[in-house]
Amino acid sequence: MKSEKYSTLFLFALLLAVSSQPITAQRRGGGQRPGGGINRQPMHGGATERTRPNINNNNINNRDIDRNRNINNASRNSNNTNISGNTVNVNVDRSHDVNVVNNRNTVVQRNNIATYRRPPYVYGGARYYCYHPYVYHPYRPYYWGPAWHPWGFFVAALTVTAIVVTIENEKYHYDQGVWYAQSGGGYTVVQAPVGGTVTTIPSNSQTTVVNNVTNYYYGGAYYQKDGTTYKVVPPPAGAVVENLPEGGEEVKVGDQTYVKIGETYYQPVQVDGKNKYEVVQVESEKS
């Protein structure tokens, strides 16, 4: 009995010794614990360092790429947006633009050169005739009032006082000294067409007499009375007017500066101490 008892105890002790060997080796070997725990790496002096478990860097890289894409997109959008306020691009409706012919009444009515007592100003192969001496003053376009509009001005509709005037199969509309041509769903102001005849002109028109003929001037247009009507005529050479409309430009001819409207040259002059303009007669030196 005693021998069996001792044999059982011996086997139990042997099993206990064998089973304890791998646990001790695992603890002493510093191997990684199952379950993804924190590793302890050896350091100088026998200490250990805690290290984080391995993490999949693909997710971090993807997030960085997405963030960079968003930043780049935002940068592009901000570059395409004009926030400076200095230049603004807008869609301009050009449907009402028309080519306004400003030379219908700018072919000057010529005078007999013998009537000019002053020698002409000669420059660039042309002679510029005027009755009055040249006195420069700057060109300032004149405004004739709320019923008047400059050439090229567009209106969507006309007032009930407008009348239709047909000249050489072309239809115009006339209203209070202003001439219109239909265009772009509305009406555009044009120069008074030569030959156009109306029964009334604005009461504040100016009179200018050339060769004993009285001309009525308003808004850049010249009229001569024919019975009970007024007929548009070209600018008569030698006519002196106080004001010029918009649409002119100062042009340098040698030492003198003229105001050119269409093909008509106006010389700045002084009459009775007032700044005025005289219609110039331009002749080629070859003529």
Side-chain angles (χ1 to χ4, degrees), residues 151-225:
W151 300 324
F153 187 85
F154 177 85
V155 295
L158 299 176
T159 64
V160 295
T161 57
I163 63 172
V164 177
V165 180
T166 301
I167 307 165
E168 297 180 355
N169 297 323
E170 290 191 38
K171 184 182 294 185
Y172 297 88
H173 297 262
Y174 173 84
D175 187 26
Q176 303 180 69
V178 183
W179 292 82
Y180 301 86
Q182 193 167 5
S183 64
Y187 304 87
T188 300
V189 177
V190 296
Q191 279 190 315
V194 174
T197 301
V198 294
T199 57
T200 60
I201 58 175
S203 59
N204 59 339
S205 61
Q206 175 190 348
T207 58
T208 175
V209 179
V210 180
N211 296 331
N212 298 320
V213 176
T214 300
N215 298 269
Y216 298 86
Y217 173 80
Y218 177 84
Y222 296 83
Y223 301 83
Q224 290 179 358
K225 196 168 183 179

Side-chain angles (χ1 to χ4, degrees), residues 130-142 144 206 208 210 217 222 236-245 248-250 257-261 264-271 274-280:
C130 272
Y131 291 107
H132 298 84
Y134 171 84
V135 179
Y136 175 75
H137 51 82
Y139 162 57
R140 294 185 176 91
Y142 185 75
W144 271 270
Q206 175 190 348
T208 175
V210 180
Y217 173 80
Y222 296 83
V240 177
V241 296
E242 292 185 11
N243 304 297
L244 297 180
E249 61 174 339
E250 287 191 328
T257 300
Y258 298 93
V259 177
K260 188 178 181 183
I261 301 178
T264 301
Y265 286 83
Y266 287 87
Q267 175 174 300
V269 298
Q270 277 192 348
V271 179
K274 292 183 178 180
N275 291 334
K276 296 187 179 183
Y277 298 92
E278 181 178 337
V279 177
V280 181

Side-chain angles (χ1 to χ4, degrees), residues 12 21 28 30 34 55 60 73 96 102 104 106 108-109 115 154 164 168 189 202 230 253 255 259 275 285:
F12 178 77
Q21 288 297 324
R28 291 180 180 178
I55 300 175
I60 296 177
N73 290 336
H96 294 154
N102 285 340
R104 288 185 178 275
T106 57
V108 173
Q109 298 181 61
T115 64
F154 177 85
V164 177
E168 297 180 355
V189 177
Y230 297 87
V253 178
D255 296 329
V259 177
N275 291 334
E285 284 191 299

